Amino acid sequence: MRALVIDDSRAMRAILTRQLSALGFDVAQAFDGRDALDLLGTGYVPDVALVDWNMPRLDGLSFIKAVRARPELREVTLMMVTTESEHDKIVRALAAGAHEYVIKPFTDEVIADKLALLGLVGV
Amino acid sequence: MSVFTGLDDGLREELGVILTDVLSSVLRQEAIVTTNQLPHGSSVTSRLAIHDRSDETPGSEGEFAVIEVRVGIGLARVMAARMMSMSTPDTPDLVDAIAEISNIAGGNVKTLLCHHARLSLPSAQISDVEEFAAARPADASTYVRAIVLGHVAQLAIHPDAPVADLLWPPTNSDSTLEPTA
């Protein structure tokens, strides 16, 4: 399984990469939504992408909309991982095509549980 | 009246919970609220702005406040090492780690105090200037501190601080913020 971590914080990318690697994922990283779309443009298709909301150049919500507009990426599971915790933001992300929503700060167990709910790791 | 000033004891307690939750989640260590001051010496400080747009009065630009997280250089090293799973983090690692801590704390503060707001991107730097919060600050700032791994971390809200130097994320999808409950 392949996972793409999209966050402008190297520290957060490292945290998520460590957690995902421990769950058996091959992990790629992107600095922001633009960087991630460039990576997807090379033909790389992850099974799941963990996406921050507030990032330079292209935010997470725009990235989700861009991915959902591309039929060849319809199998990519999208999980928003963000400090934005208002109900309105959660609704907008899910409406745009995110499958799950994780609010920072989170524990290792939260990420594993969400991935298990999505059928991406065993329970 | 500003949503960022005159915070009552209940809100101050909530700010302490935010700080301890962020520290304990990231470090996987218990953090508790303290009245101890920051250590002497260099510190890492990260700032980001909240732009509250609840005031829909025509012509109003809303209110701004700066959220600031400050830790001593020793705690910054520990945090960066734990967050990035490395033994000897470099200066950019310390700055990046504390920036993310402030980003997480800022998002939670925004949710606590605002109903219609946006966050800037965090900006962090190492400083040799020692600044200690007064028990009764002369300005409208609010301070809470927590101790984790024997070190003190400080979260502050500065309603009157300048925000012109801070960068805002693009408004690709977020140009219209809808009010929450």
Side-chain angles (χ1 to χ4, degrees), chain A residues 3-106:
Chain A
L4 173 60
V5 173
I6 310 164
D7 198 305
D8 55 324
S9 164
R10 280 188 302 115
M12 185 51 61
R13 293 200 303 271
I15 289 171
L16 290 170
T17 295
R18 172 176 51 76
Q19 294 182 8
L20 291 164
S21 297
L23 293 168
F25 286 88
D26 290 324
V27 185
Q29 299 183 359
F31 170 75
D32 60 15
R34 178 82 56 81
D35 196 16
L37 287 180
D38 288 346
L39 179 59
L40 296 178
T42 67
Y44 171 84
V45 180
D47 296 288
V48 61
L50 282 67
V51 191
D52 188 18
W53 191 304
N54 292 319
M55 296 181 286
R57 302 196 299 173
L58 189 74
D59 65 44
L61 187 60
S62 296
F63 171 80
I64 287 172
K65 289 178 177 176
V67 169
R68 283 292 160 257
R70 292 169 58 175
E72 72 274 20
L73 299 174
R74 64 180 175 274
E75 298 299 326
V76 178
T77 297
L78 297 168
M79 182 188 296
M80 191 69 96
V81 183
T82 175
T83 189
E84 297 285 356
S85 57
E86 293 93 339
H87 177 72
D88 163 62
K89 291 285 183 79
I90 298 171
V91 169
R92 291 172 64 192
L94 297 177
H99 297 84
E100 270 294 354
Y101 199 101
V102 174
I103 298 168
K104 300 174 184 174
F106 53 81

Side-chain angles (χ1 to χ4, degrees), chain B residues 76-142:
Chain B
R77 283 199 187 93
V78 173
M79 294 173 95
R82 294 232 178 161
M83 293 170 79
M84 300 189 195
S85 302
M86 57 174 59
S87 57
T88 54
D90 295 328
T91 296
D93 301 321
L94 310 189
V95 169
D96 185 278
I98 305 308
E100 180 61 12
I101 293 292
S102 73
N103 180 49
I104 299 172
N108 284 266
V109 171
K110 175 169 76 80
T111 301
L112 176 66
L113 299 180
C114 308
H115 296 294
H116 186 194
R118 61 178 180 144
L119 281 179
S120 79
L121 298 172
S123 175
Q125 63 181 12
I126 292 180
S127 171
D128 292 323
V129 177
E130 295 185 347
E131 296 177 24
F132 300 101
R136 296 183 182 279
D139 61 12
S141 296
T142 299

